[in-house]
Amino acid sequence: MKQIAILGSTGSIGSQTLTVLQQFPTDFQVMGLAAGGNITVLARQIQIFKPQVVAVASSEKATALTALLKNHGVEHLPQILMGPEGLCQVATLPQVETVVIGLVGFIGLLPTLKALKSGKQVLTANKETFVTAGHLVKPYLRQIVPLDSEHSAIFQCLQGSQAPEKEVHKIYLTASGGPFRELPLEQLHHVTVEQALNHPNWSMGDKITIDSATMMNKGLEIIEAHHLFQLPLEKIEVVVHPQSIVHSAVAYVDGATIAQLGEPDMRVPIQYGLTYPKRCPTAFSELHLDLTTLGTLQFYPADETRFPCLRLARWAAETGGTLPVVLNAADELAVEAFLKGNIGFMEIPKRIEWVMKLHMPHWADQPTLETIIAVDTWTRQTFTEMSDLKAPSL
């Protein structure tokens, strides 16, 4: 049995990973789980999968989890770890072969690097690791299988390519366009949190759903694809595909274009990652795509006037250094502010650009981990200190 650990087990990726794993009871054993604050869901996962080690955000959460497990009659409690150190410990458990990174945000960087350096196979949906520290991940690319639907699609389309840097003409990253793809531009200033969270195709966590609505998600994916597949930025193009059936495509230099199609459901790329390089039957019959019922598939250029976050992401990617770190941290805080009702939807890109322009872009092209953490901290402090000020029109 393959020993596995899941970071972010109560989130969208983590919970769906556990659902997929239930199809393979004799192939995988869950040795470690890590979650933030959803102790109720984590307790249920512990009862079902019986991990040896779990990690939670704080000592208070650890105490609450212990009490909850005892109330549920769990006799053999797992070892309970806490905080960022606990995340890293679960990611590097000696008996674990594969680590699933379902964490959203900068918090995923350290445990991902720790897992890679300890020789684990890493299945990851944490694009922030590539955005902020792609050059630090580069030595370990052979250990990584992407779980993001788009990057899983590209990864699958590249299978069999001997020299992608020479054979690939272009990568097409597809985007649904989110809920505001056709909304008049002047109305974008008045959209509500509820409207922004109402994604037409995908069921995701709040942060990623808002990033999808602003298209920052796709901007971050440009940077991720650049590092993950070691291809120049000019070979990566975003196209809006409202049906979310083509999850991405690779155009080769000989004129052939290979695309990966599937239902908009994360269980498909998650299962591929878990069973890679094999393909195994799925127990979920609804995941089988029926080509005869698809109808028309549409593709449009991405509009950077409507989605300025795409422009900001390309600026960060082309500048390099620590500017992508600023982009990522500012986006995390801007999305949080929007979800709390503190800023409007179109203030998200304005706030991000504001902080990016304040950043001193003279850091080394290949920043150390310590520099990356310092710039992330600076960005969060700067954003917070200026949160009471009105961002200028940019």
Side-chain angles (χ1 to χ4, degrees):
M1 296 180 74
K2 181 179 286 189
Q3 315 296 317
I4 193 167
I6 302 171
L7 309 189
S9 67
T10 61
S12 177
I13 295 295
S15 59
Q16 290 183 85
T17 299
L18 289 169
T19 298
V20 172
L21 284 173
Q22 288 181 304
Q23 300 177 99
F24 307 102
T26 61
D27 297 306
F28 296 93
Q29 182 179 8
V30 177
M31 301 298 293
L33 296 175
N38 198 334
I39 300 304
T40 302
V41 173
L42 179 59
R44 288 200 298 268
Q45 294 175 345
I46 291 169
Q47 287 179 280
I48 295 170
F49 295 96
K50 299 177 174 57
Q52 293 182 1
V53 183
V54 300
V56 292
S58 64
S59 58
E60 292 79 11
K61 294 294 183 182
T63 300
L65 177 62
T66 300
L68 193 56
L69 290 172
K70 288 181 177 178
N71 288 340
H72 288 171
V74 177
E75 295 181 359
H76 302 289
L77 297 180
Q79 179 185 4
I80 301 178
L81 307 171
M82 294 165 282
E85 298 82 6
L87 273 179
C88 291
Q89 286 178 265
V90 173
T92 55
L93 289 172
Q95 63 271 45
V96 165
E97 302 168 61
T98 298
V99 179
V100 176
I101 310 289
L103 300 166
V104 176
F106 189 73
I107 193 174
L109 174 59
L110 281 178
T112 300
L113 289 176
K114 293 278 189 180
L116 290 169
K117 289 178 180 179
S118 64
K120 313 297 187 190
Q121 180 194 47
V122 171
L123 315 183
T124 182
N126 183 259
K127 57 182 64 65
E128 293 83 0
T129 293
F130 296 94
V131 171
T132 61
H135 61 290
L136 298 182
V137 178
K138 183 177 178 179
Y140 309 101
L141 291 177
R142 291 186 180 275
Q143 295 168 228
I144 297 173
V145 180
L147 292 185
D148 267 344
S149 62
E150 297 83 0
H151 299 85
S152 173
I154 296 166
F155 185 78
Q156 293 178 59
C157 293
L158 286 173
Q159 296 303 306
S161 176
Q162 300 300 310
E165 69 282 0
K166 296 179 180 179
E167 297 175 354
V168 171
H169 170 67
K170 185 180 291 187
I171 282 177
Y172 291 104
L173 279 173
T174 55
S176 70
F180 308 131
R181 175 175 61 86
E182 297 179 334
L183 193 70
L185 285 173
E186 62 273 11
Q187 294 185 27
L188 287 174
H189 295 275
H190 308 292
V191 300
T192 66
V193 172
E194 291 73 22
Q195 288 172 320
L197 288 174
N198 186 25
H199 195 282
N201 300 336
W202 291 92
S203 176
M204 305 175 289
D206 287 357
K207 201 276 182 177
I208 297 177
T209 303
I210 300 302
D211 276 350
S212 178
T214 65
M215 290 275 276
M216 179 60 87
N217 200 42
K218 212 53 52 179
L220 299 178
E221 288 173 6
I222 291 172
I223 304 174
E224 180 181 5
H226 168 60
H227 290 294
L228 183 58
F229 303 113
Q230 294 293 290
L231 291 170
L233 292 167
E234 58 267 23
K235 287 191 175 185
I236 303 171
E237 181 176 341
V238 173
V239 294
V240 175
H241 169 49
Q243 293 79 23
S244 295
I245 294 297
V246 175
H247 296 297
S248 279
V250 175
Y252 285 92
V253 293
D254 62 358
T257 297
I258 299 177
Q260 190 262 326
L261 284 69
E263 293 289 349
D265 193 302
M266 283 303 299
R267 290 174 294 177
V268 176
I270 287 171
Q271 177 166 320
Y272 179 78
L274 289 169
T275 63
Y276 174 81
K278 296 189 297 181
R279 291 187 183 270
C280 299
T282 178
F284 309 112
S285 59
E286 68 272 18
L287 298 183
H288 289 288
L289 192 65
D290 184 353
L291 292 178
T292 65
T293 63
L294 285 185
T296 302
L297 300 180
Q298 300 163 305
F299 303 90
Y300 307 103
D303 182 358
E304 292 188 1
T305 301
R306 176 178 293 274
F307 301 113
C309 284
L310 276 177
R311 173 179 57 82
L312 298 179
R314 283 205 178 271
W315 171 29
E318 290 164 0
T319 303
T322 50
L323 196 60
V325 181
V326 178
L327 172 85
N328 180 73
D331 177 59
E332 288 186 20
L333 293 182
V335 169
E336 181 182 354
F338 172 70
L339 287 169
K340 290 179 177 178
N342 295 333
I343 65 173
F345 182 74
M346 291 305 290
E347 282 292 302
I348 294 174
K350 287 184 179 180
R351 298 271 172 161
I352 296 168
E353 185 168 3
W354 191 19
V355 181
M356 289 174 72
K357 286 186 173 181
L358 288 173
H359 178 56
M360 298 295 289
H362 64 266
W363 298 91
D365 287 339
Q366 302 288 314
T368 64
L369 180 59
E370 291 74 19
T371 297
I372 290 168
I373 293 172
V375 172
D376 177 82
T377 301
W378 173 88
T379 304
R380 294 173 192 277
Q381 290 174 343
T382 302
F383 189 102
T384 302
E385 289 167 359
M386 297 186 175
S387 62
D388 294 331
L389 303 176
K390 181 175 176 59
S393 297
L394 297 170

